[in-house]
Amino acid sequence: MKQTFFRKTTASAAIALLCACTFLPASADDRTPIPADRLPARSRAFLQKHFAGKRPLLVVRERDFPDISYEVGYADGHKVEFRKDGRWKEVDCLQDTVPATIVPKPVADFVSAHYPNSYICKLERDRKGYEVKLGNRLELTFDFKFHLVEIDD
């Protein structure tokens, strides 16, 4: 009887410890406003080049265990997300056009050839390639060789 109680207690303690180790780091996630000059140098250079003359309304460092990313928001609703090394991850201009200097030329050429009456309002870059959202609500996915791999409406 004592052995059964001991085994159950030990098993319960082990499960509780495992849960604590698994879920406690998730509670360390946070979003912290920071001054724009605390962005990585690469991010600051990107913003100066492509969003010159615009002042960020809010700059946030987001810690999503174990990753860190940055989000820059402007008064007009435009948003730019960066990875911790300062490379851009997403540019969302709502219903405005993403600056042409950001869009890779093969993507811009494809959109102007196949969707001449639309424009790119959101551009994302991940490990697989680029995802482009058009003003007509179509979403195009390109690999890093700029081959179209998916169209989503």
Side-chain angles (χ1 to χ4, degrees):
M1 179 104 155
K2 285 186 178 183
Q3 286 182 340
T4 305
F5 176 74
F6 180 73
R7 284 183 188 159
K8 286 182 181 178
T9 305
T10 305
S12 296
I15 291 171
L17 182 61
L18 179 66
C19 289
C21 290
T22 302
F23 296 112
L24 278 179
S27 67
D29 297 350
D30 66 0
R31 290 176 51 87
T32 307
I34 61 169
D37 61 359
R38 296 224 6 239
L39 284 168
R42 190 177 199 167
S43 300
R44 290 193 313 268
F46 178 90
L47 295 174
Q48 288 170 356
K49 179 178 180 182
H50 303 291
F51 292 91
K54 292 180 77 172
R55 266 185 80 162
L57 183 64
L58 180 65
V59 179
V60 176
R61 184 185 77 204
E62 188 168 353
R63 184 173 290 191
D64 188 14
F65 187 79
D67 294 326
I68 294 175
S69 61
Y70 299 91
E71 188 175 300
V72 178
Y74 292 95
D76 58 6
H78 296 183
K79 180 179 76 170
V80 183
E81 290 184 39
F82 297 97
R83 292 178 175 76
K84 73 178 173 184
D85 65 358
R87 289 182 304 134
W88 69 270
K89 180 166 68 169
E90 178 181 311
V91 178
D92 188 352
C93 292
L94 300 177
Q95 293 304 313
D96 290 332
T97 303
V98 169
T101 52
I102 300 172
V103 181
K105 185 170 177 9
V107 172
D109 291 346
F110 182 92
V111 171
S112 64
H114 294 89
Y115 302 99
N117 296 326
S118 196
Y119 57 93
I120 298 172
C121 59
K122 184 176 182 179
L123 182 64
E124 292 181 59
R125 178 172 65 181
D126 62 20
R127 292 183 197 135
K128 296 179 183 177
Y130 294 90
E131 186 172 306
V132 177
K133 184 173 181 182
L134 302 179
N136 63 6
R137 299 188 182 215
L138 278 180
E139 292 183 12
L140 311 175
T141 304
F142 296 88
D143 63 16
F144 278 116
K145 293 182 180 179
F146 302 108
H147 298 119
L148 182 67
V149 294
E150 184 178 0
I151 300 176
D152 192 11
D153 54 355

